Amino acid sequence: MSLQELQELERSYAIPTYVRNPVQFVRGSGVNLYDEQGNEYLDFLAGIGVLNVGHCHPRVIKAVTEQAAQLTHVTNLYYTEPAMRLSKALSDSSLGGKVFLCNSGAEANEAAIKLARRAKPGGDIVVLRDGFHGRTYGALSATPQEAKQAPFAPLVPGFITVPKDPAAITAAVTDITAAVLLEPIQGESGVQMISDELLLAARKACDKHGAALIFDEVQTGMGRTGSMWAYEQTPVIPDALTSAKALGGGLPIGALITGARLADVFQPGDHGSTFAGGPVACVAALEAIAICGDPELLRAVVELGERLTGSLAEVPFVASVRGRGLLVGVDLLEGVSAVEIARRALLEQRLVINATGPQTLRFEPPLTVTGQQIDEAVSRLSKLRP
Ligand code: PLP
Protein backbone atom coordinates (compact mmCIF):
# COMPACT_ATOMS: atom_id res chain seq x y z
CA MET A 1 0.00 0.00 0.00
CA SER A 2 1.14 3.55 -0.63
CA LEU A 3 1.76 6.01 2.21
CA GLN A 4 -1.28 8.01 1.05
CA GLU A 5 -3.52 4.93 1.31
CA LEU A 6 -2.22 4.24 4.83
CA GLN A 7 -2.91 7.84 5.82
CA GLU A 8 -6.48 7.51 4.57
CA LEU A 9 -6.98 4.33 6.58
CA GLU A 10 -5.51 6.07 9.62
CA ARG A 11 -7.89 9.03 9.25
CA SER A 12 -10.93 6.72 9.10
CA TYR A 13 -10.00 3.88 11.42
CA ALA A 14 -7.11 4.58 13.80
CA ILE A 15 -7.90 6.30 17.11
CA PRO A 16 -5.58 9.30 16.80
CA THR A 17 -3.37 8.95 19.88
CA TYR A 18 -0.17 9.33 17.83
CA VAL A 19 1.19 11.97 15.47
CA ARG A 20 2.90 9.83 12.84
CA ASN A 21 5.72 10.96 10.59
CA PRO A 22 4.95 10.62 6.86
CA VAL A 23 7.16 7.56 6.32
CA GLN A 24 6.20 3.89 5.94
CA PHE A 25 8.74 1.32 7.06
CA VAL A 26 8.53 -2.13 5.55
CA ARG A 27 11.80 -3.80 6.57
CA GLY A 28 14.56 -3.57 9.15
CA SER A 29 18.03 -5.05 9.41
CA GLY A 30 20.56 -4.22 12.13
CA VAL A 31 20.79 -0.43 12.41
CA ASN A 32 18.90 0.14 9.14
CA LEU A 33 15.25 0.62 8.26
CA TYR A 34 13.83 0.61 4.72
CA ASP A 35 10.74 2.35 3.37
CA GLU A 36 8.40 0.95 0.70
CA GLN A 37 10.54 2.52 -2.05
CA GLY A 38 13.66 0.76 -0.79
CA ASN A 39 15.25 3.88 0.72
CA GLU A 40 17.66 3.08 3.56
CA TYR A 41 17.49 4.92 6.91
CA LEU A 42 19.87 4.94 9.88
CA ASP A 43 17.79 4.10 12.94
CA PHE A 44 19.14 5.97 15.97
CA LEU A 45 15.89 5.59 17.93
CA ALA A 46 15.58 1.78 17.73
CA GLY A 47 11.83 1.76 18.26
CA ILE A 48 12.37 3.97 21.35
CA GLY A 49 15.00 1.78 22.95
CA VAL A 50 13.46 -1.53 21.91
CA LEU A 51 15.84 -2.83 19.24
CA ASN A 52 18.98 -2.99 21.38
CA VAL A 53 19.95 -6.12 19.41
CA GLY A 54 19.20 -4.34 16.11
CA HIS A 55 16.33 -5.02 13.73
CA CYS A 56 15.60 -8.67 12.97
CA HIS A 57 18.64 -10.09 14.75
CA PRO A 58 19.20 -13.55 13.20
CA ARG A 59 19.33 -15.29 16.60
CA VAL A 60 16.02 -13.73 17.69
CA ILE A 61 14.35 -14.51 14.36
CA LYS A 62 15.51 -18.14 14.43
CA ALA A 63 14.33 -18.70 18.01
CA VAL A 64 10.96 -17.02 17.39
CA THR A 65 10.35 -18.84 14.10
CA GLU A 66 11.10 -22.24 15.60
CA GLN A 67 9.02 -21.56 18.70
CA ALA A 68 6.07 -20.18 16.70
CA ALA A 69 5.95 -23.39 14.69
CA GLN A 70 5.89 -25.45 17.88
CA LEU A 71 3.77 -23.71 20.53
CA THR A 72 2.57 -20.09 20.77
CA HIS A 73 0.41 -19.96 23.90
CA VAL A 74 -0.92 -22.01 26.79
CA THR A 75 -1.44 -19.53 29.72
CA ASN A 76 0.24 -19.68 33.10
CA LEU A 77 -1.93 -22.53 34.31
CA TYR A 78 0.69 -24.85 32.81
CA TYR A 79 4.46 -25.10 32.55
CA THR A 80 6.51 -24.09 29.55
CA GLU A 81 10.29 -24.22 29.39
CA PRO A 82 10.83 -20.73 27.89
CA ALA A 83 9.01 -18.95 30.75
CA MET A 84 10.90 -20.76 33.49
CA ARG A 85 14.26 -20.43 31.72
CA LEU A 86 13.62 -16.71 31.21
CA SER A 87 12.69 -16.19 34.88
CA LYS A 88 15.99 -17.78 35.89
CA ALA A 89 18.00 -15.79 33.33
CA LEU A 90 16.49 -12.49 34.54
CA SER A 91 17.06 -13.32 38.19
CA ASP A 92 20.64 -14.47 37.54
CA SER A 93 21.36 -11.31 35.54
CA SER A 94 20.25 -8.98 38.32
CA LEU A 95 18.77 -9.13 41.80
CA GLY A 96 18.71 -12.89 42.43
CA GLY A 97 15.08 -13.07 43.54
CA LYS A 98 11.96 -14.04 41.62
CA VAL A 99 10.33 -12.77 38.44
CA PHE A 100 6.81 -11.89 37.27
CA LEU A 101 6.55 -11.86 33.49
CA CYS A 102 4.14 -9.53 31.69
CA ASN A 103 3.77 -7.78 28.33
CA SER A 104 4.96 -4.17 28.55
CA GLY A 105 6.69 -1.53 30.63
CA ALA A 106 3.48 -0.11 32.05
CA GLU A 107 2.39 -3.60 33.08
CA ALA A 108 5.74 -4.28 34.73
CA ASN A 109 5.32 -1.09 36.76
CA GLU A 110 1.72 -1.99 37.64
CA ALA A 111 3.06 -5.26 39.01
CA ALA A 112 5.77 -3.42 40.96
CA ILE A 113 3.27 -0.97 42.48
CA LYS A 114 0.92 -3.78 43.48
CA LEU A 115 3.82 -5.76 44.94
CA ALA A 116 4.91 -2.79 47.06
CA ARG A 117 1.36 -2.27 48.36
CA ARG A 118 0.98 -6.00 49.03
CA ALA A 119 4.16 -5.85 51.10
CA LYS A 120 2.98 -2.73 52.95
CA PRO A 121 -0.82 -2.48 52.68
CA GLY A 122 -2.16 1.04 52.07
CA GLY A 123 1.36 2.43 51.71
CA ASP A 124 2.33 5.48 49.64
CA ILE A 125 4.42 5.34 46.50
CA VAL A 126 7.00 8.13 46.23
CA VAL A 127 7.96 9.13 42.68
CA LEU A 128 10.27 11.72 41.14
CA ARG A 129 9.35 14.87 39.30
CA ASP A 130 9.68 14.41 35.50
CA GLY A 131 9.45 10.63 35.84
CA PHE A 132 7.68 8.46 33.27
CA HIS A 133 6.37 5.00 34.09
CA GLY A 134 3.63 4.32 31.51
CA ARG A 135 0.06 5.13 30.53
CA THR A 136 -2.10 2.64 32.45
CA TYR A 137 -3.76 4.01 35.60
CA GLY A 138 -1.23 2.89 38.21
CA ALA A 139 1.75 3.72 36.00
CA LEU A 140 0.13 7.03 34.96
CA SER A 141 -0.46 7.91 38.61
CA ALA A 142 3.29 7.42 39.08
CA THR A 143 3.99 9.76 36.14
CA PRO A 144 3.72 13.31 37.50
CA GLN A 145 3.26 15.16 34.23
CA GLU A 146 0.30 17.51 34.10
CA ALA A 147 -0.52 17.08 30.40
CA LYS A 148 -0.56 13.28 30.65
CA GLN A 149 -2.43 13.04 33.97
CA ALA A 150 -4.92 15.91 34.07
CA PRO A 151 -7.42 14.72 31.41
CA PHE A 152 -7.74 11.37 33.19
CA ALA A 153 -8.38 12.39 36.79
CA PRO A 154 -9.17 10.99 39.26
CA LEU A 155 -5.97 8.98 39.40
CA VAL A 156 -4.97 6.19 41.77
CA PRO A 157 -4.53 7.72 45.25
CA GLY A 158 -1.39 7.47 47.37
CA PHE A 159 1.30 8.75 44.97
CA ILE A 160 3.63 11.46 46.27
CA THR A 161 5.83 13.44 43.89
CA VAL A 162 9.15 14.83 45.08
CA PRO A 163 11.69 17.10 43.36
CA LYS A 164 14.99 15.52 42.33
CA ASP A 165 16.69 16.49 45.57
CA PRO A 166 18.16 14.08 48.17
CA ALA A 167 16.73 16.10 51.08
CA ALA A 168 13.24 15.99 49.54
CA ILE A 169 13.37 12.20 49.22
CA THR A 170 14.56 11.85 52.79
CA ALA A 171 11.68 14.01 54.01
CA ALA A 172 9.03 12.32 51.86
CA VAL A 173 9.74 8.71 52.86
CA THR A 174 8.01 7.78 56.13
CA ASP A 175 6.76 4.69 57.93
CA ILE A 176 3.72 4.64 55.65
CA THR A 177 5.80 4.62 52.45
CA ALA A 178 5.47 1.38 50.52
CA ALA A 179 7.99 2.21 47.82
CA VAL A 180 10.14 4.75 46.06
CA LEU A 181 9.78 4.16 42.33
CA LEU A 182 12.24 5.91 40.01
CA GLU A 183 14.13 5.68 36.75
CA PRO A 184 17.92 5.64 37.30
CA ILE A 185 18.09 7.92 34.22
CA GLN A 186 14.85 9.60 33.14
CA GLY A 187 14.50 8.67 29.48
CA GLU A 188 11.19 10.10 28.31
CA SER A 189 11.81 13.46 29.94
CA GLY A 190 14.96 13.94 27.88
CA VAL A 191 17.66 11.68 29.33
CA GLN A 192 17.84 13.45 32.68
CA MET A 193 20.64 12.06 34.85
CA ILE A 194 19.85 11.14 38.46
CA SER A 195 22.65 11.85 40.93
CA ASP A 196 24.27 9.18 43.10
CA GLU A 197 23.47 11.38 46.11
CA LEU A 198 19.76 11.15 45.34
CA LEU A 199 19.92 7.38 44.88
CA LEU A 200 21.85 6.96 48.14
CA ALA A 201 19.30 9.12 49.98
CA ALA A 202 16.46 7.02 48.54
CA ARG A 203 18.21 3.78 49.53
CA LYS A 204 18.85 5.04 53.06
CA ALA A 205 15.29 6.32 53.53
CA CYS A 206 13.79 3.06 52.24
CA ASP A 207 15.98 1.01 54.59
CA LYS A 208 15.08 3.21 57.55
CA HIS A 209 11.32 3.00 56.94
CA GLY A 210 10.97 -0.51 55.52
CA ALA A 211 9.99 0.71 52.05
CA ALA A 212 10.94 -0.90 48.76
CA LEU A 213 13.33 0.88 46.41
CA ILE A 214 12.17 0.03 42.89
CA PHE A 215 14.09 0.99 39.75
CA ASP A 216 12.17 1.35 36.52
CA GLU A 217 14.76 0.01 34.06
CA VAL A 218 12.31 -0.27 31.18
CA GLN A 219 14.47 2.12 29.13
CA THR A 220 17.84 1.94 30.90
CA GLY A 221 18.12 -1.86 31.12
CA MET A 222 19.30 -4.53 28.69
CA GLY A 223 22.74 -3.02 28.17
CA ARG A 224 21.53 0.41 27.05
CA THR A 225 23.84 2.33 29.41
CA GLY A 226 26.87 0.04 29.09
CA SER A 227 25.99 -2.43 31.84
CA MET A 228 23.21 -4.99 31.69
CA TRP A 229 21.21 -2.88 34.19
CA ALA A 230 21.83 0.78 34.94
CA TYR A 231 21.79 0.20 38.71
CA GLU A 232 25.11 -1.64 38.35
CA GLN A 233 26.78 1.73 37.66
CA THR A 234 25.23 3.35 40.74
CA PRO A 235 26.20 2.95 44.41
CA VAL A 236 22.85 1.30 45.29
CA ILE A 237 21.05 -1.98 44.68
CA PRO A 238 17.26 -1.72 44.38
CA ASP A 239 14.84 -4.18 45.98
CA ALA A 240 13.13 -4.74 42.65
CA LEU A 241 13.40 -3.56 39.06
CA THR A 242 11.16 -3.49 36.04
CA SER A 243 12.13 -4.28 32.46
CA ALA A 244 10.40 -4.24 29.06
CA LYS A 245 11.25 -2.48 25.75
CA ALA A 246 14.53 -4.18 24.68
CA LEU A 247 13.84 -7.29 26.75
CA GLY A 248 12.03 -8.99 23.88
CA GLY A 249 14.53 -8.22 21.11
CA GLY A 250 11.63 -6.56 19.23
CA LEU A 251 8.75 -8.60 20.65
CA PRO A 252 6.45 -7.30 23.41
CA ILE A 253 7.36 -8.55 26.87
CA GLY A 254 7.95 -7.07 30.31
CA ALA A 255 9.15 -8.28 33.68
CA LEU A 256 9.21 -7.41 37.35
CA ILE A 257 12.36 -8.77 38.97
CA THR A 258 12.71 -8.83 42.75
CA GLY A 259 15.56 -9.28 45.15
CA ALA A 260 15.30 -11.80 47.99
CA ARG A 261 13.25 -9.56 50.32
CA LEU A 262 10.29 -9.17 47.97
CA ALA A 263 10.51 -12.55 46.24
CA ASP A 264 7.64 -14.20 48.12
CA VAL A 265 5.28 -11.27 48.66
CA PHE A 266 2.81 -12.12 45.87
CA GLN A 267 0.74 -15.22 46.47
CA PRO A 268 -1.33 -17.27 44.00
CA GLY A 269 -4.25 -15.16 42.74
CA ASP A 270 -2.67 -11.80 43.63
CA HIS A 271 -1.73 -10.87 40.07
CA GLY A 272 -1.82 -12.28 36.56
CA SER A 273 -2.04 -11.69 32.83
CA THR A 274 -3.27 -14.03 30.11
CA PHE A 275 -0.41 -13.54 27.66
CA ALA A 276 2.36 -13.12 30.28
CA GLY A 277 5.29 -15.44 29.78
CA GLY A 278 4.13 -16.61 26.36
CA PRO A 279 6.71 -18.94 24.85
CA VAL A 280 7.39 -16.93 21.66
CA ALA A 281 8.18 -13.69 23.50
CA CYS A 282 10.18 -15.63 26.10
CA VAL A 283 12.52 -17.33 23.61
CA ALA A 284 13.08 -13.93 21.97
CA ALA A 285 13.94 -12.47 25.40
CA LEU A 286 16.36 -15.31 26.16
CA GLU A 287 18.27 -14.47 22.98
CA ALA A 288 18.14 -10.73 23.68
CA ILE A 289 19.55 -11.27 27.18
CA ALA A 290 22.38 -13.41 25.83
CA ILE A 291 23.23 -10.81 23.16
CA CYS A 292 22.92 -7.69 25.35
CA GLY A 293 24.65 -9.27 28.34
CA ASP A 294 27.81 -10.09 26.37
CA PRO A 295 30.66 -8.30 28.23
CA GLU A 296 32.39 -7.44 24.95
CA LEU A 297 29.23 -5.75 23.63
CA LEU A 298 28.79 -3.86 26.91
CA ARG A 299 32.37 -2.57 26.73
CA ALA A 300 31.72 -1.45 23.17
CA VAL A 301 28.54 0.38 24.28
CA VAL A 302 30.62 2.51 26.67
CA GLU A 303 33.15 3.39 23.95
CA LEU A 304 30.52 4.00 21.29
CA GLY A 305 28.55 6.15 23.72
CA GLU A 306 31.61 8.34 24.26
CA ARG A 307 32.11 8.61 20.50
CA LEU A 308 28.46 9.59 20.01
CA THR A 309 28.35 12.17 22.81
CA GLY A 310 31.75 13.58 21.79
CA SER A 311 30.81 14.10 18.16
CA LEU A 312 27.28 15.37 18.91
CA ALA A 313 28.86 18.11 21.05
CA GLU A 314 30.61 19.39 17.87
CA VAL A 315 27.36 19.87 15.93
CA PRO A 316 26.95 23.65 15.44
CA PHE A 317 23.35 23.90 16.72
CA VAL A 318 23.89 21.69 19.79
CA ALA A 319 24.08 23.39 23.19
CA SER A 320 24.83 20.41 25.46
CA VAL A 321 24.97 16.62 25.46
CA ARG A 322 24.41 14.14 28.30
CA GLY A 323 23.84 10.46 28.76
CA ARG A 324 25.37 7.13 29.65
CA GLY A 325 26.34 4.46 27.16
CA LEU A 326 24.02 4.68 24.15
CA LEU A 327 21.22 6.55 25.93
CA VAL A 328 21.95 10.12 24.90
CA GLY A 329 20.05 13.39 25.21
CA VAL A 330 20.94 16.60 23.41
CA ASP A 331 19.76 20.12 24.20
CA LEU A 332 19.71 22.41 21.17
CA LEU A 333 20.64 26.08 21.06
CA GLU A 334 17.98 28.62 22.00
CA GLY A 335 15.46 29.03 19.19
CA VAL A 336 16.27 25.72 17.45
CA SER A 337 13.24 23.40 17.42
CA ALA A 338 14.02 19.76 18.26
CA VAL A 339 10.72 18.65 16.72
CA GLU A 340 11.68 20.34 13.45
CA ILE A 341 15.23 18.95 13.52
CA ALA A 342 13.94 15.39 14.14
CA ARG A 343 11.42 15.76 11.31
CA ARG A 344 14.00 17.10 8.87
CA ALA A 345 16.58 14.48 9.92
CA LEU A 346 14.05 11.81 8.96
CA LEU A 347 12.81 13.35 5.72
CA GLU A 348 15.96 15.03 4.41
CA GLN A 349 18.75 12.87 5.83
CA ARG A 350 17.05 9.51 6.47
CA LEU A 351 18.20 9.58 10.07
CA VAL A 352 15.66 8.35 12.66
CA ILE A 353 15.83 10.21 15.99
CA ASN A 354 13.18 11.81 18.17
CA ALA A 355 12.42 14.92 20.17
CA THR A 356 11.52 14.41 23.83
CA GLY A 357 10.73 18.09 24.27
CA PRO A 358 10.73 21.39 22.36
CA GLN A 359 14.53 21.71 22.57
CA THR A 360 15.71 18.18 23.34
CA LEU A 361 16.66 15.32 21.01
CA ARG A 362 17.13 11.69 22.06
CA PHE A 363 19.53 9.17 20.50
CA GLU A 364 19.17 5.45 21.26
CA PRO A 365 20.73 3.44 18.43
CA PRO A 366 20.88 -0.36 18.55
CA LEU A 367 23.79 -1.50 20.74
CA THR A 368 25.19 -3.24 17.68
CA VAL A 369 25.85 0.11 15.96
CA THR A 370 29.37 0.64 14.60
CA GLY A 371 31.66 3.64 15.08
CA GLN A 372 31.33 4.33 11.36
CA GLN A 373 27.52 4.40 11.58
CA ILE A 374 27.78 6.84 14.50
CA ASP A 375 30.02 9.13 12.45
CA GLU A 376 27.62 8.89 9.52
CA ALA A 377 24.59 9.72 11.71
CA VAL A 378 26.28 12.77 13.22
CA SER A 379 27.45 13.89 9.79
CA ARG A 380 23.86 13.66 8.48
CA LEU A 381 22.60 15.66 11.46
CA SER A 382 25.27 18.32 10.94
CA LYS A 383 24.10 18.87 7.36
CA LEU A 384 20.80 20.28 8.65
CA ARG A 385 20.87 24.07 8.87
CA PRO A 386 18.24 25.20 11.38
N1 PLP B 1 8.92 3.13 32.03
C1 PLP B 1 9.83 3.80 31.32
C2 PLP B 1 11.08 4.29 31.97
C3 PLP B 1 9.61 4.04 29.96
O1 PLP B 1 10.52 4.72 29.25
C4 PLP B 1 8.42 3.58 29.37
C5 PLP B 1 8.12 3.84 27.95
O2 PLP B 1 8.65 4.69 27.32
C6 PLP B 1 7.50 2.88 30.16
C7 PLP B 1 7.79 2.66 31.49
C8 PLP B 1 6.23 2.35 29.58
O3 PLP B 1 6.51 1.24 28.79
P1 PLP B 1 5.40 0.70 27.77
O4 PLP B 1 5.24 1.73 26.72
O5 PLP B 1 5.99 -0.60 27.26
O6 PLP B 1 4.15 0.48 28.55
Side-chain angles (χ1 to χ4, degrees):
M1 277 191 187
S2 69
L3 178 64
Q4 289 68 30
E5 285 171 310
L6 296 182
Q7 287 171 325
E8 264 167 47
L9 288 177
E10 180 192 40
R11 268 191 295 278
S12 300
Y13 299 110
I15 293 178
T17 55
Y18 287 97
V19 180
R20 289 182 173 80
N21 287 285
V23 172
Q24 173 189 183
F25 288 124
V26 296
R27 191 163 69 81
S29 174
V31 183
N32 294 122
L33 281 166
Y34 300 85
D35 66 21
E36 81 283 16
Q37 283 152 17
N39 295 311
E40 185 180 276
Y41 295 69
L42 264 181
D43 185 3
F44 269 52
L45 185 58
I48 316 188
V50 167
L51 276 314
N52 286 14
V53 300
H55 290 277
C56 298
H57 193 289
R59 282 180 60 176
V60 174
I61 299 308
K62 181 170 183 288
V64 163
T65 311
E66 286 174 6
Q67 184 60 49
Q70 200 172 314
L71 181 71
T72 58
H73 178 74
V74 289
T75 87
N76 288 294
L77 300 180
Y78 310 96
Y79 289 92
T80 62
E81 189 176 317
M84 291 307 121
R85 282 182 49 216
L86 178 59
S87 301
K88 176 173 170 20
L90 284 168
S91 173
D92 288 350
S93 81
S94 58
L95 305 175
K98 293 183 181 172
V99 173
F100 177 81
L101 296 172
C102 55
N103 307 288
S104 68
E107 271 189 48
N109 288 326
E110 294 291 337
I113 292 162
K114 281 183 71 175
L115 183 87
R117 286 245 171 100
R118 186 73 162 91
K120 196 186 263 191
D124 290 328
I125 312 289
V126 173
V127 297
L128 291 189
R129 193 174 283 168
D130 300 329
F132 181 86
H133 300 288
R135 304 292 196 134
T136 53
Y137 259 102
L140 178 65
S141 304
T143 297
Q145 297 181 27
E146 176 73 7
K148 293 185 174 72
Q149 288 187 335
F152 304 102
L155 300 172
V156 179
F159 286 80
I160 295 170
T161 304
V162 294
K164 286 173 271 185
D165 163 27
I169 288 260
T170 305
V173 177
T174 68
D175 285 343
I176 59 158
T177 305
V180 173
L181 170 63
L182 56 83
E183 299 157 87
I185 298 171
Q186 295 180 321
E188 292 308 294
S189 63
V191 191
Q192 303 295 337
M193 310 305 284
I194 300 295
S195 71
D196 284 352
E197 291 68 36
L198 188 143
L199 297 177
L200 283 166
R203 181 66 278 173
K204 200 168 159 196
C206 286
D207 288 343
K208 182 170 173 200
H209 296 284
L213 179 59
I214 303 172
F215 276 18
D216 177 343
E217 294 237 24
V218 166
Q219 193 154 164
T220 54
M222 294 296 291
R224 174 55 58 192
T225 68
S227 50
M228 186 60 174
W229 306 103
Y231 83 82
E232 295 170 51
Q233 295 181 66
T234 75
V236 307
I237 298 175
D239 299 302
L241 69 84
T242 55
S243 174
K245 283 196 185 276
L247 176 58
L251 270 75
I253 186 166
L256 162 67
I257 310 168
T258 75
R261 191 167 81 74
L262 297 173
D264 295 310
V265 170
F266 272 153
Q267 294 302 311
D270 276 346
H271 199 44
S273 166
T274 299
F275 284 115
V280 178
C282 285
V283 296
L286 281 163
E287 295 301 328
I289 289 171
I291 296 162
C292 296
D294 176 1
E296 214 170 294
L297 179 102
L298 293 171
R299 268 193 299 277
V301 169
V302 174
E303 277 170 29
L304 291 162
E306 282 163 12
R307 185 162 176 159
L308 179 59
T309 49
S311 50
L312 281 171
E314 305 289 312
V315 175
F317 52 87
V318 162
S320 63
V321 185
R322 60 187 168 270
R324 190 169 294 151
L326 287 168
L327 179 56
V328 175
V330 169
D331 282 342
L332 303 180
L333 290 177
E334 199 68 35
V336 182
S337 159
V339 177
E340 187 58 13
I341 289 289
R343 196 188 65 83
R344 289 184 53 209
L346 177 74
L347 300 178
E348 294 173 23
Q349 294 296 326
R350 297 191 182 129
L351 171 65
V352 182
I353 50 175
N354 93 321
T356 59
Q359 245 174 298
T360 306
L361 293 173
R362 173 173 47 179
F363 295 75
E364 289 193 66
L367 309 186
T368 54
V369 69
T370 64
Q372 214 181 348
Q373 285 166 324
I374 287 178
D375 297 346
E376 173 62 21
V378 177
S379 144
R380 289 189 196 185
L381 186 74
S382 303
K383 287 190 188 129
L384 298 172
R385 292 276 170 266

mmCIF file of all heavy atoms in Angstrom, residues 9 42 285 336 342 351 353:
data_model
loop_
_atom_site.group_PDB
_atom_site.id
_atom_site.type_symbol
_atom_site.label_atom_id
_atom_site.label_comp_id
_atom_site.label_asym_id
_atom_site.label_seq_id
_atom_site.Cartn_x
_atom_site.Cartn_y
_atom_site.Cartn_z
ATOM 1 N N LEU A 9 -6.493 5.339 5.619
ATOM 2 C CA LEU A 9 -6.980 4.330 6.578
ATOM 3 C C LEU A 9 -6.852 4.869 8.005
ATOM 4 O O LEU A 9 -7.748 4.698 8.831
ATOM 5 C CB LEU A 9 -6.182 3.025 6.447
ATOM 6 C CG LEU A 9 -6.451 2.183 5.201
ATOM 7 C CD1 LEU A 9 -5.538 0.965 5.177
ATOM 8 C CD2 LEU A 9 -7.915 1.730 5.153
ATOM 9 N N LEU A 42 19.080 5.313 8.690
ATOM 10 C CA LEU A 42 19.867 4.937 9.876
ATOM 11 C C LEU A 42 18.954 5.113 11.089
ATOM 12 O O LEU A 42 18.457 6.217 11.334
ATOM 13 C CB LEU A 42 21.054 5.887 10.038
ATOM 14 C CG LEU A 42 22.412 5.477 9.492
ATOM 15 C CD1 LEU A 42 23.420 6.571 9.790
ATOM 16 C CD2 LEU A 42 22.886 4.143 10.063
ATOM 17 N N ALA A 285 13.271 -13.144 24.275
ATOM 18 C CA ALA A 285 13.940 -12.470 25.400
ATOM 19 C C ALA A 285 15.205 -13.223 25.826
ATOM 20 O O ALA A 285 16.213 -12.596 26.171
ATOM 21 C CB ALA A 285 12.976 -12.331 26.571
ATOM 22 N N VAL A 336 16.244 26.838 18.399
ATOM 23 C CA VAL A 336 16.265 25.717 17.446
ATOM 24 C C VAL A 336 15.251 24.678 17.914
ATOM 25 O O VAL A 336 15.314 24.207 19.051
ATOM 26 C CB VAL A 336 17.674 25.085 17.359
ATOM 27 C CG1 VAL A 336 17.669 23.949 16.332
ATOM 28 C CG2 VAL A 336 18.717 26.127 17.020
ATOM 29 N N ALA A 342 14.214 16.838 14.249
ATOM 30 C CA ALA A 342 13.944 15.392 14.142
ATOM 31 C C ALA A 342 13.179 15.094 12.855
ATOM 32 O O ALA A 342 13.452 14.109 12.165
ATOM 33 C CB ALA A 342 13.160 14.913 15.357
ATOM 34 N N LEU A 351 17.660 9.890 8.749
ATOM 35 C CA LEU A 351 18.197 9.577 10.070
ATOM 36 C C LEU A 351 17.025 9.582 11.046
ATOM 37 O O LEU A 351 16.325 10.592 11.175
ATOM 38 C CB LEU A 351 19.230 10.637 10.484
ATOM 39 C CG LEU A 351 19.723 10.564 11.925
ATOM 40 C CD1 LEU A 351 20.498 9.266 12.185
ATOM 41 C CD2 LEU A 351 20.606 11.769 12.245
ATOM 42 N N ILE A 353 15.596 9.808 14.596
ATOM 43 C CA ILE A 353 15.832 10.213 15.987
ATOM 44 C C ILE A 353 14.509 10.783 16.486
ATOM 45 O O ILE A 353 13.563 10.892 15.723
ATOM 46 C CB ILE A 353 16.958 11.284 16.117
ATOM 47 C CG1 ILE A 353 16.703 12.434 15.132
ATOM 48 C CG2 ILE A 353 18.319 10.664 15.900
ATOM 49 C CD1 ILE A 353 17.692 13.591 15.268
#
